mmCIF file with all atom_site columns, all heavy atoms in Angstrom:
data_model
loop_
_atom_site.group_PDB
_atom_site.id
_atom_site.type_symbol
_atom_site.label_atom_id
_atom_site.label_alt_id
_atom_site.label_comp_id
_atom_site.label_asym_id
_atom_site.label_entity_id
_atom_site.label_seq_id
_atom_site.pdbx_PDB_ins_code
_atom_site.Cartn_x
_atom_site.Cartn_y
_atom_site.Cartn_z
_atom_site.occupancy
_atom_site.B_iso_or_equiv
_atom_site.pdbx_formal_charge
_atom_site.auth_seq_id
_atom_site.auth_comp_id
_atom_site.auth_asym_id
_atom_site.auth_atom_id
_atom_site.pdbx_PDB_model_num
ATOM   1  N  N   . HIS A 1 27  ? 90.082  112.864 84.092 1.00 0.00 ? 268  HIS A N   1
ATOM   2  C  CA  . HIS A 1 27  ? 91.034  111.883 84.490 1.00 0.00 ? 268  HIS A CA  1
ATOM   3  C  C   . HIS A 1 27  ? 90.494  110.978 85.735 1.00 0.00 ? 268  HIS A C   1
ATOM   4  O  O   . HIS A 1 27  ? 90.514  109.795 85.661 1.00 0.00 ? 268  HIS A O   1
ATOM   5  C  CB  . HIS A 1 27  ? 92.364  112.487 84.865 1.00 0.00 ? 268  HIS A CB  1
ATOM   6  C  CG  . HIS A 1 27  ? 93.483  111.566 84.927 1.00 0.00 ? 268  HIS A CG  1
ATOM   7  N  ND1 . HIS A 1 27  ? 94.798  112.094 85.119 1.00 0.00 ? 268  HIS A ND1 1
ATOM   8  C  CD2 . HIS A 1 27  ? 93.634  110.250 84.783 1.00 0.00 ? 268  HIS A CD2 1
ATOM   9  C  CE1 . HIS A 1 27  ? 95.635  111.049 85.141 1.00 0.00 ? 268  HIS A CE1 1
ATOM   10 N  NE2 . HIS A 1 27  ? 94.977  109.972 84.948 1.00 0.00 ? 268  HIS A NE2 1
ATOM   11 N  N   . TYR A 1 35  ? 88.559  102.189 84.945 1.00 0.00 ? 276  TYR A N   1
ATOM   12 C  CA  . TYR A 1 35  ? 89.433  101.119 85.481 1.00 0.00 ? 276  TYR A CA  1
ATOM   13 C  C   . TYR A 1 35  ? 88.800  100.369 86.501 1.00 0.00 ? 276  TYR A C   1
ATOM   14 O  O   . TYR A 1 35  ? 88.903  99.142  86.726 1.00 0.00 ? 276  TYR A O   1
ATOM   15 C  CB  . TYR A 1 35  ? 90.806  101.755 85.898 1.00 0.00 ? 276  TYR A CB  1
ATOM   16 C  CG  . TYR A 1 35  ? 91.595  102.426 84.899 1.00 0.00 ? 276  TYR A CG  1
ATOM   17 C  CD1 . TYR A 1 35  ? 92.152  103.677 85.114 1.00 0.00 ? 276  TYR A CD1 1
ATOM   18 C  CD2 . TYR A 1 35  ? 91.738  101.894 83.594 1.00 0.00 ? 276  TYR A CD2 1
ATOM   19 C  CE1 . TYR A 1 35  ? 92.853  104.351 84.205 1.00 0.00 ? 276  TYR A CE1 1
ATOM   20 C  CE2 . TYR A 1 35  ? 92.500  102.557 82.620 1.00 0.00 ? 276  TYR A CE2 1
ATOM   21 C  CZ  . TYR A 1 35  ? 93.052  103.823 82.933 1.00 0.00 ? 276  TYR A CZ  1
ATOM   22 O  OH  . TYR A 1 35  ? 93.794  104.514 81.950 1.00 0.00 ? 276  TYR A OH  1
ATOM   23 N  N   . GLN A 1 73  ? 96.172  99.966  86.697 1.00 0.00 ? 314  GLN A N   1
ATOM   24 C  CA  . GLN A 1 73  ? 95.758  101.363 86.533 1.00 0.00 ? 314  GLN A CA  1
ATOM   25 C  C   . GLN A 1 73  ? 94.983  101.810 87.792 1.00 0.00 ? 314  GLN A C   1
ATOM   26 O  O   . GLN A 1 73  ? 95.146  102.940 88.224 1.00 0.00 ? 314  GLN A O   1
ATOM   27 C  CB  . GLN A 1 73  ? 95.018  101.637 85.282 1.00 0.00 ? 314  GLN A CB  1
ATOM   28 C  CG  . GLN A 1 73  ? 95.838  101.674 83.993 1.00 0.00 ? 314  GLN A CG  1
ATOM   29 C  CD  . GLN A 1 73  ? 96.814  102.896 84.075 1.00 0.00 ? 314  GLN A CD  1
ATOM   30 O  OE1 . GLN A 1 73  ? 97.767  103.020 84.863 1.00 0.00 ? 314  GLN A OE1 1
ATOM   31 N  NE2 . GLN A 1 73  ? 96.544  103.890 83.237 1.00 0.00 ? 314  GLN A NE2 1
ATOM   32 N  N   . HIS A 1 77  ? 96.444  104.876 90.055 1.00 0.00 ? 318  HIS A N   1
ATOM   33 C  CA  . HIS A 1 77  ? 95.684  106.097 90.283 1.00 0.00 ? 318  HIS A CA  1
ATOM   34 C  C   . HIS A 1 77  ? 95.274  106.355 91.710 1.00 0.00 ? 318  HIS A C   1
ATOM   35 O  O   . HIS A 1 77  ? 95.291  107.505 92.153 1.00 0.00 ? 318  HIS A O   1
ATOM   36 C  CB  . HIS A 1 77  ? 94.500  106.181 89.323 1.00 0.00 ? 318  HIS A CB  1
ATOM   37 C  CG  . HIS A 1 77  ? 94.853  106.384 87.894 1.00 0.00 ? 318  HIS A CG  1
ATOM   38 N  ND1 . HIS A 1 77  ? 95.319  105.327 87.057 1.00 0.00 ? 318  HIS A ND1 1
ATOM   39 C  CD2 . HIS A 1 77  ? 94.903  107.528 87.151 1.00 0.00 ? 318  HIS A CD2 1
ATOM   40 C  CE1 . HIS A 1 77  ? 95.588  105.837 85.871 1.00 0.00 ? 318  HIS A CE1 1
ATOM   41 N  NE2 . HIS A 1 77  ? 95.304  107.138 85.844 1.00 0.00 ? 318  HIS A NE2 1
ATOM   42 N  N   . TRP A 1 127 ? 104.229 105.240 82.860 1.00 0.00 ? 368  TRP A N   1
ATOM   43 C  CA  . TRP A 1 127 ? 104.545 105.975 84.127 1.00 0.00 ? 368  TRP A CA  1
ATOM   44 C  C   . TRP A 1 127 ? 105.983 106.013 84.341 1.00 0.00 ? 368  TRP A C   1
ATOM   45 O  O   . TRP A 1 127 ? 106.733 105.153 83.904 1.00 0.00 ? 368  TRP A O   1
ATOM   46 C  CB  . TRP A 1 127 ? 103.877 105.094 85.308 1.00 0.00 ? 368  TRP A CB  1
ATOM   47 C  CG  . TRP A 1 127 ? 102.364 105.036 85.322 1.00 0.00 ? 368  TRP A CG  1
ATOM   48 C  CD1 . TRP A 1 127 ? 101.592 104.319 84.400 1.00 0.00 ? 368  TRP A CD1 1
ATOM   49 C  CD2 . TRP A 1 127 ? 101.540 105.817 86.167 1.00 0.00 ? 368  TRP A CD2 1
ATOM   50 N  NE1 . TRP A 1 127 ? 100.262 104.507 84.704 1.00 0.00 ? 368  TRP A NE1 1
ATOM   51 C  CE2 . TRP A 1 127 ? 100.177 105.448 85.728 1.00 0.00 ? 368  TRP A CE2 1
ATOM   52 C  CE3 . TRP A 1 127 ? 101.687 106.672 87.175 1.00 0.00 ? 368  TRP A CE3 1
ATOM   53 C  CZ2 . TRP A 1 127 ? 99.100  105.984 86.388 1.00 0.00 ? 368  TRP A CZ2 1
ATOM   54 C  CZ3 . TRP A 1 127 ? 100.553 107.167 87.823 1.00 0.00 ? 368  TRP A CZ3 1
ATOM   55 C  CH2 . TRP A 1 127 ? 99.282  106.912 87.458 1.00 0.00 ? 368  TRP A CH2 1
ATOM   56 N  N   . ASP A 1 160 ? 101.896 109.828 86.059 1.00 0.00 ? 401  ASP A N   1
ATOM   57 C  CA  . ASP A 1 160 ? 101.169 109.352 84.939 1.00 0.00 ? 401  ASP A CA  1
ATOM   58 C  C   . ASP A 1 160 ? 101.623 110.040 83.659 1.00 0.00 ? 401  ASP A C   1
ATOM   59 O  O   . ASP A 1 160 ? 101.473 111.312 83.609 1.00 0.00 ? 401  ASP A O   1
ATOM   60 C  CB  . ASP A 1 160 ? 99.711  109.582 85.241 1.00 0.00 ? 401  ASP A CB  1
ATOM   61 C  CG  . ASP A 1 160 ? 98.748  108.935 84.226 1.00 0.00 ? 401  ASP A CG  1
ATOM   62 O  OD1 . ASP A 1 160 ? 99.191  108.659 83.102 1.00 0.00 ? 401  ASP A OD1 1
ATOM   63 O  OD2 . ASP A 1 160 ? 97.590  108.681 84.683 1.00 0.00 ? 401  ASP A OD2 1
ATOM   64 N  N   . TRP A 1 162 ? 100.382 109.165 80.551 1.00 0.00 ? 403  TRP A N   1
ATOM   65 C  CA  . TRP A 1 162 ? 99.474  108.993 79.548 1.00 0.00 ? 403  TRP A CA  1
ATOM   66 C  C   . TRP A 1 162 ? 98.964  110.405 79.076 1.00 0.00 ? 403  TRP A C   1
ATOM   67 O  O   . TRP A 1 162 ? 98.972  111.315 79.874 1.00 0.00 ? 403  TRP A O   1
ATOM   68 C  CB  . TRP A 1 162 ? 98.161  108.217 80.048 1.00 0.00 ? 403  TRP A CB  1
ATOM   69 C  CG  . TRP A 1 162 ? 98.396  106.768 80.351 1.00 0.00 ? 403  TRP A CG  1
ATOM   70 C  CD1 . TRP A 1 162 ? 99.297  106.175 81.147 1.00 0.00 ? 403  TRP A CD1 1
ATOM   71 C  CD2 . TRP A 1 162 ? 97.580  105.713 79.791 1.00 0.00 ? 403  TRP A CD2 1
ATOM   72 N  NE1 . TRP A 1 162 ? 99.161  104.892 81.041 1.00 0.00 ? 403  TRP A NE1 1
ATOM   73 C  CE2 . TRP A 1 162 ? 98.082  104.440 80.333 1.00 0.00 ? 403  TRP A CE2 1
ATOM   74 C  CE3 . TRP A 1 162 ? 96.422  105.637 78.990 1.00 0.00 ? 403  TRP A CE3 1
ATOM   75 C  CZ2 . TRP A 1 162 ? 97.506  103.212 80.066 1.00 0.00 ? 403  TRP A CZ2 1
ATOM   76 C  CZ3 . TRP A 1 162 ? 95.869  104.426 78.700 1.00 0.00 ? 403  TRP A CZ3 1
ATOM   77 C  CH2 . TRP A 1 162 ? 96.454  103.239 79.237 1.00 0.00 ? 403  TRP A CH2 1
ATOM   78 N  N   . HIS A 1 164 ? 96.102  111.523 78.585 1.00 0.00 ? 405  HIS A N   1
ATOM   79 C  CA  . HIS A 1 164 ? 94.995  112.041 79.358 1.00 0.00 ? 405  HIS A CA  1
ATOM   80 C  C   . HIS A 1 164 ? 95.421  112.802 80.526 1.00 0.00 ? 405  HIS A C   1
ATOM   81 O  O   . HIS A 1 164 ? 94.598  113.570 81.129 1.00 0.00 ? 405  HIS A O   1
ATOM   82 C  CB  . HIS A 1 164 ? 93.952  110.862 79.602 1.00 0.00 ? 405  HIS A CB  1
ATOM   83 C  CG  . HIS A 1 164 ? 94.456  109.869 80.631 1.00 0.00 ? 405  HIS A CG  1
ATOM   84 N  ND1 . HIS A 1 164 ? 94.247  108.462 80.388 1.00 0.00 ? 405  HIS A ND1 1
ATOM   85 C  CD2 . HIS A 1 164 ? 95.125  109.954 81.764 1.00 0.00 ? 405  HIS A CD2 1
ATOM   86 C  CE1 . HIS A 1 164 ? 94.770  107.808 81.399 1.00 0.00 ? 405  HIS A CE1 1
ATOM   87 N  NE2 . HIS A 1 164 ? 95.281  108.600 82.242 1.00 0.00 ? 405  HIS A NE2 1
HETATM 88 MN MN1 . MN3 B 2 .   ? 95.724  108.133 84.074 1.00 0.00 ? 1934 MN3 B MN1 1
#
Side-chain angles (χ1 to χ4, degrees):
H268 197 174
Y276 300 134
Q314 283 292 71
H318 287 81
W368 293 75
D401 189 336
W403 287 55
H405 65 224

